[in-house]
Amino acid sequence: MRTESRLTRIGLALAAPALALVVAFVVTSLVLILAGDDWIGVWSQILSWPSNRTMVNILNAATVYYLSAVAVAIGFRMNLFNIGVDGQYRIASFAAAWVAGEAWLPGFLNIALALVAGMLVGAMWAGIAGLLRVTRGVSEVISTIMLNAIATAVVAYLLRKVAVREEGSNIISTKPVPEGSRIPGIPFLGGEVYGFIVVAIIVGIAYWLLINRTRFGFDLRAAGQSESAAVASGINVKKMILVTMLLSGAVAGLVGMPLLFGQDYAYGSTFQSGLGFAGIAIALLGRNHPVGIAIGALLFAFLDQQSNPLQILLDVSPDIVKVTQGVIVLAVVIAYEVVRRYGVRLEQRQVAAALDSQHQEKEVAR
């Protein structure tokens, strides 16, 4: 009985994302057909086995996506919608790049100082939204959206103050990170995976332990599920909101670090943006679980990398993958709710059947 129940739970857990993928496939195919594009050719390219170089790129992109999604998931577990990860990681990346470029400390110490600076700045930026929520009742959705715009403007202003211009280019950036303070890549399939992938794995493990094996994590989950029940049990909900936002911002501060220390070695006007919004989608897809988030990050990175040749091979914009990713997120939210309701009905039937069986046994005994 226990085995059957466990298998049922596993089946229901897998049903929602599987259903979402099927819906995304159908909707994307319809869009391609209506646009007159070769939908079979598009899927043949996207679903083909990636080259070694593409595999490396997938792992590198997934590393960044994973950190972004974990930052979002920390807020989600507290029922906080931290849309501000995008602004938090950008202002944190700028701060870390500036600190690392100044090279006040040698080698690894310089890396550590820059990481701490990035996490502190990310936490501070998210903490603003947390303070507004607990002191003035301002929704974190509104405040983090506004803080994203402010972060963009602040970084652009400060970048012009401290940046150096590349010779013969209009691109401006902070001072480059010294070679002794760069994180070496890990050789893989003829390329190099970000060395920061190790930190991402550690962050995922720490996130799971924090949420599931500590008193703080229990309080966080309890407050997220029912604020009134949490207050009745003695949990300081306002404190939990503020601390959760600080933690979410601190992890957001790490999002740009793989790029900074493993690829770009400076923060400039071409530094990758939009990673925070991808993290929201991946956290939803992964149900805020570190393993689910990892799978979602790999899926999004796979779709991104496999779609790059579409313009050249089939004259189809690689932006079609954005349609697929968007539909996956919408469909998975609906699918999880459908599966949840089905699970509740299935459990009710099992309980009713068990009660009926007990009643019949009693009748026979009489």
Side-chain angles (χ1 to χ4, degrees), residues 75-120:
F76 279 167
R77 295 306 295 265
M78 178 64 194
N79 203 24
L80 295 172
F81 205 174
N82 182 12
I83 303 180
V85 169
D86 202 69
Q88 291 151 23
Y89 95 80
R90 280 193 284 176
I91 197 168
S93 298
F94 169 79
W98 176 69
V99 170
E102 294 298 324
W104 289 313
L105 295 174
F108 174 77
L109 293 177
N110 194 39
I111 297 174
L113 179 63
L115 292 180
V116 171
M119 293 179 71
L120 288 175

Side-chain angles (χ1 to χ4, degrees), residues 189-235:
L189 296 178
E192 285 192 345
V193 176
Y194 293 145
F196 212 84
I197 193 173
V198 177
V199 178
I201 293 171
I202 293 172
V203 168
I205 295 172
Y207 164 68
W208 184 86
L209 291 173
L210 177 70
I211 297 298
N212 297 287
R213 291 293 183 269
T214 66
R215 171 63 186 272
F216 174 82
F218 176 81
D219 290 348
L220 185 149
R221 288 181 285 118
Q225 292 177 2
S226 176
E227 187 173 322
S228 58
V231 171
S233 62
I235 297 174

Side-chain angles (χ1 to χ4, degrees), residues 130-144:
L131 280 174
L132 289 173
R133 169 68 184 271
V134 300
T135 59
R136 308 302 300 174
V138 178
S139 169
E140 73 281 356
V141 175
I142 303 299
S143 58
T144 50

Side-chain angles (χ1 to χ4, degrees), residues 10 15 34 63 79 83 159 171 182 226 256 266 268 305 325 328 340 342 356:
I10 294 174
L34 291 174
T63 300
N79 203 24
I83 303 180
L159 184 59
I171 298 175
R182 297 176 182 180
S226 176
Q305 296 300 320
Q325 292 171 340
I328 287 174
R340 186 192 67 81
Y342 174 78
D356 185 60

Side-chain angles (χ1 to χ4, degrees), residues 306-324:
Q306 288 290 88
S307 66
N308 285 336
L310 289 179
Q311 188 74 57
I312 298 173
L313 298 177
L314 300 168
D315 195 29
V316 175
S317 173
D319 289 337
I320 187 64
V321 165
K322 302 300 180 186
V323 175
T324 305

Side-chain angles (χ1 to χ4, degrees), residues 21-30 32-33 38-49 302-303 306 310 314 320-321 323-325 328:
L21 291 175
V22 171
V23 171
F25 175 82
V26 172
V27 172
T28 304
S29 299
L30 288 175
L32 289 168
I33 292 171
D38 181 8
W39 69 279
I40 296 177
V42 168
W43 284 116
S44 296
Q45 165 56 33
I46 291 177
L47 299 179
S48 63
W49 187 259
F302 175 84
L303 292 173
Q306 288 290 88
L310 289 179
L314 300 168
I320 187 64
V321 165
V323 175
T324 305
Q325 292 171 340
I328 287 174

Side-chain angles (χ1 to χ4, degrees), residues 120-187:
L120 288 175
V121 170
M124 178 200 71
W125 205 252
I128 296 173
L131 280 174
L132 289 173
R133 169 68 184 271
V134 300
T135 59
R136 308 302 300 174
V138 178
S139 169
E140 73 281 356
V141 175
I142 303 299
S143 58
T144 50
I145 289 174
M146 298 301 294
L147 285 167
N148 279 344
I150 296 171
T152 301
V154 169
V155 170
Y157 173 77
L158 294 177
L159 184 59
R160 292 186 178 276
K161 291 289 185 180
V162 303
V164 293
R165 189 178 298 275
E166 296 183 15
E167 190 71 24
S169 173
N170 291 326
I171 298 175
I172 59 173
S173 64
T174 56
K175 294 178 182 178
V177 176
E179 290 190 12
S181 297
R182 297 176 182 180
I183 300 177
I186 301 172

